[in-house]
Amino acid sequence: MKEHIGYCHQCGKEIFCLDGFFNGIHLNSKKILCFKCAEQDSALKEEQNNSSLDL
């Protein structure tokens, strides 16, 4: 079963629930992200954290 949930907050890609499994990331701010945008966002945060450790 495929149910449309909404759109990625960053790229606008459609996000679905596939057979009961949410195919994305739900943020505390009640926004949703596709896996690709969530991965890029976490990579950016990790890069910022690593650069702040170098100071």
Side-chain angles (χ1 to χ4, degrees):
M1 187 169 144
K2 184 176 178 180
E3 183 180 353
H4 183 261
I5 300 299
Y7 297 92
C8 176
H9 179 70
Q10 288 185 346
C11 72
K13 178 182 176 183
E14 288 184 298
I15 298 178
F16 295 91
C17 186
L18 302 173
D19 295 325
F21 293 98
F22 180 61
N23 201 16
I25 303 294
H26 183 259
L27 304 174
N28 290 337
S29 61
K30 303 199 188 272
K31 296 176 183 173
I32 57 176
L33 296 176
C34 67
F35 286 128
K36 185 176 180 180
C37 287
E39 184 177 294
Q40 290 173 348
D41 190 50
S42 65
L44 178 62
K45 286 180 184 176
E46 183 177 319
E47 184 177 306
Q48 289 173 339
N49 288 339
N50 287 341
S51 66
S52 68
L53 293 176
D54 294 336
L55 297 176

